[in-house]
Amino acid sequence: MTDALRYEITRLRTIRSTYWILGVAFGFQLLLTVLIAWNLPETGPLSGGDQTFAILVTVGATLGVAPLFIAYVIGLLGVFSMGHEYRHGMIRATLTALPSRLHVMLAKVLTTAVLSLVAALVCVGIALLSAVFFGVGLPSVGGLRDITVGTVLYTTLFSLSGLAFATLTRNQTAAVALLLLVPSLVEGLVKAVVLAIKASSGDPTSRGGIVDILKFLPYDAGGQMYTRVSLNDAFQVFGYKPFGAVGGGITMAVFVVVLLVLATAAFHRRDA
């Protein structure tokens, strides 16, 4: 296992994609948080407070109207962790040097999780520096803790799901497509269809029924960890009440764990 970790750390240090992914994430986080903080007043109802800081950290995703940008960028670390192996034919060399496929997979999971977690923490730090520099006010200790934990956990789980997609498909392009489209397009379509069915039912405002399916959309549920105001609130008229931060986080974590278990089993059984 130690050899597998050393191998994976060396791989991450010596490929360019690691640096440009982190560079894009940090660069855009800095640019966008500076623009947001610059346009916020130093005093008044829009200055300071937990909600304002949450908007800075998530670049508006906390309002439920935009995806969490850093998760989509940092998530590519997970895709490329296994995707590069198949795209460049390195998987055979990797398995020749490290015959234990379980150790190879565990090393990729650990390094992806740690690097994604650290990168997300850096992005939170960038938002905090922007808030201090432009004097827009700071969040409470509890607010800082909650948005940091939610953003970091979501980003880390998002990245691990990218690793699982790349392992299952053995195709880097397909894994990137899945990582981008499942949260944004597929879950949106499912939500639209379910709500349309509920709206056309005999009692569209009743609790329960088919609308409960929406609670278990993994990325949407996980988004409750950092979302403070959501469009989902408008759907409560149809009896839809999403999980909170804890329940949503557990839902997404279970989904990612299942994906990783399936990916590990497929990696172990299939030919290189």
Side-chain angles (χ1 to χ4, degrees), residues 183-262:
S184 58
L185 180 62
V186 175
E187 289 195 353
L189 289 174
V190 171
K191 187 179 296 185
V193 170
V194 169
L195 290 176
I197 294 173
K198 181 69 172 180
S200 62
S201 66
D203 188 8
T205 61
S206 63
R207 287 287 181 89
I210 191 173
V211 78
D212 280 344
I213 295 174
L214 301 182
K215 293 182 179 181
F216 300 96
L217 295 176
Y219 295 102
D220 188 67
Q224 301 303 312
M225 291 189 286
Y226 62 81
T227 301
R228 296 297 175 266
V229 180
S230 176
L231 291 177
N232 288 335
D233 296 338
F235 300 144
Q236 291 188 22
V237 67
F238 297 112
Y240 171 50
K241 185 174 179 59
F243 290 125
V246 175
I250 292 174
T251 300
M252 184 176 182
V254 170
F255 170 75
V256 173
V257 168
V258 170
L259 274 183
L260 287 172
V261 169
L262 293 174

Side-chain angles (χ1 to χ4, degrees), residues 26-261:
F26 299 156
F28 271 88
Q29 184 76 354
L30 177 62
L31 174 63
L32 295 175
T33 54
V34 164
L35 289 174
I36 294 173
W38 189 15
N39 286 279
L40 286 173
E42 294 186 7
T43 59
L46 293 180
S47 63
D50 296 345
Q51 179 59 35
T52 299
F53 183 68
I55 292 173
L56 278 176
V57 171
T58 65
V59 192
T62 186
L63 299 177
V65 295
L68 184 61
F69 172 79
I70 61 171
Y72 279 78
V73 177
I74 295 173
L76 294 177
L77 290 170
V79 173
F80 290 175
S81 179
M82 187 64 82
H84 277 328
E85 299 276 11
Y86 288 106
R87 180 180 180 184
H88 300 291
M90 290 300 297
I91 188 63
R92 292 180 179 84
T94 298
L95 293 178
T96 299
L98 301 165
S100 174
R101 298 191 179 206
L102 179 60
H103 288 168
V104 170
M105 191 65 184
L106 287 176
K108 289 185 180 295
V109 169
L110 287 173
T111 52
T112 297
V114 171
L115 186 56
S116 299
L117 186 149
V118 172
L121 281 174
V122 171
C123 289
V124 173
I126 290 172
L128 185 60
L129 289 175
S130 296
V132 172
F133 183 82
F134 288 95
V136 298
L138 295 175
S140 65
V141 174
L144 175 61
R145 178 200 62 217
D146 291 345
I147 194 61
T148 299
V149 171
T151 302
V152 168
L153 285 180
Y154 183 89
T155 302
T156 302
L157 290 171
F158 198 91
S159 191
L160 287 173
S161 70
L163 169 61
F165 286 142
T167 306
L168 286 168
T169 62
R170 296 193 288 185
N171 185 294
Q172 184 169 287
T173 303
V176 171
L178 285 172
L179 190 65
L180 297 179
L181 296 179
V182 171
S184 58
L185 180 62
V186 175
E187 289 195 353
L189 289 174
V190 171
K191 187 179 296 185
V193 170
V194 169
L195 290 176
I197 294 173
K198 181 69 172 180
S200 62
S201 66
D203 188 8
T205 61
S206 63
R207 287 287 181 89
I210 191 173
V211 78
D212 280 344
I213 295 174
L214 301 182
K215 293 182 179 181
F216 300 96
L217 295 176
Y219 295 102
D220 188 67
Q224 301 303 312
M225 291 189 286
Y226 62 81
T227 301
R228 296 297 175 266
V229 180
S230 176
L231 291 177
N232 288 335
D233 296 338
F235 300 144
Q236 291 188 22
V237 67
F238 297 112
Y240 171 50
K241 185 174 179 59
F243 290 125
V246 175
I250 292 174
T251 300
M252 184 176 182
V254 170
F255 170 75
V256 173
V257 168
V258 170
L259 274 183
L260 287 172
V261 169

